[in-house]
């Protein structure tokens, strides 16, 4: 069971998600396709060709997604903490639900992008599909790992 109230847990998840999404800007910019996956995600979610997506929209979708996924992680961990053994505790966060939640949302981000956003975006990036999906897989992993590391740190601040 979590050692925090539901409100505190929600705030920690939001802060951790924003932190992970902002930090993810760095590896996204240095990868070969740059920030293009954020444009593809925004294009896929808005049914606009990624070449026509504005930078503010791509950035907004990227950061809003990072925040929303952290809330999904929070709900998953909260539910799992009620039914699974805690195992070790990471600063008051039960380790088993925490790790399952982080892995779950990492896989969800990748799957959603690869199966929903990327096919809907298509358009001008069709020839780069494999490179973009591969970069998205790495970005999903980095986000999930950052979230998994950030949550216990933020918990210690409450």
């Amino acid at each position: 069971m979590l050692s925090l109230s539901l409100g505190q847990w929600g705030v920690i998840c939001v802060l951790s998600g924003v932190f992970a999404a902002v930090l993810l800007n760095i590896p996204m910019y240095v990868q070969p396709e740059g920030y293009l996956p954020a444009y593809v995600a925004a294009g896929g979610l808005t049914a606009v060709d990624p070449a026509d997506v504005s930078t503010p929209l791509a950035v907004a979708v990227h950061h809003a997604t990072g925040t929303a996924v952290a809330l999904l992680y929070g709900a998953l961990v909260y539910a799992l903490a009620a039914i699974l053994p805690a195992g070790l505790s990471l600063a008051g966060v039960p380790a088993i639900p925490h790790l399952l939640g982080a892995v779950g949302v990492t896989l969800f981000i990748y799957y959603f992008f690869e199966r929903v956003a990327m096919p809907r975006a298509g358009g001008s990036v069709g020839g780069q599909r494999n490179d973009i999906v591969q970069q998205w897989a790495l970005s999903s992993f980095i986000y999930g790992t950052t979230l998994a590391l950030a949550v216990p740190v933020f918990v210690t601040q409450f």
Side-chain angles (χ1 to χ4, degrees):
M1 194 52 103
L2 286 168
S3 62
L4 304 160
S5 72
L6 185 57
Q8 289 172 319
W9 181 241
V11 169
I12 286 167
C13 290
V14 166
L15 291 173
S16 298
V18 169
F19 175 78
V22 169
L23 192 64
L24 185 58
N25 288 324
I26 298 167
M28 285 179 69
Y29 273 115
V30 300
Q31 291 182 66
E33 299 301 324
Y35 212 67
L36 183 57
Y39 286 87
V40 171
L45 294 175
T46 60
V48 172
D49 187 304
D52 297 329
V53 170
S54 68
T55 298
L57 178 60
V59 171
V61 166
H62 168 70
H63 292 103
T65 301
T67 304
V69 168
L71 287 172
L72 176 62
Y73 155 85
L76 186 58
V77 170
Y78 194 81
L80 291 174
I83 60 173
L84 292 177
L88 299 172
S89 178
L90 305 169
V93 181
I96 293 171
H98 171 66
L99 293 175
L100 289 174
V103 169
V105 297
T106 300
L107 293 173
F108 172 78
I109 294 168
Y110 173 76
Y111 181 82
F112 185 82
F113 179 81
E114 203 265 333
R115 297 289 181 181
V116 177
M118 188 67 189
R120 287 189 67 203
S124 63
V125 296
Q128 298 169 283
R129 183 188 192 290
N130 290 339
D131 293 335
I132 294 168
V133 169
Q134 194 172 33
Q135 181 170 322
W136 190 268
L138 178 59
S139 296
S140 299
F141 173 78
I142 293 169
Y143 173 85
T145 302
T146 304
L147 184 68
L149 294 172
V151 167
V153 171
F154 279 100
V155 167
T156 63
Q157 302 306 307
F158 268 76

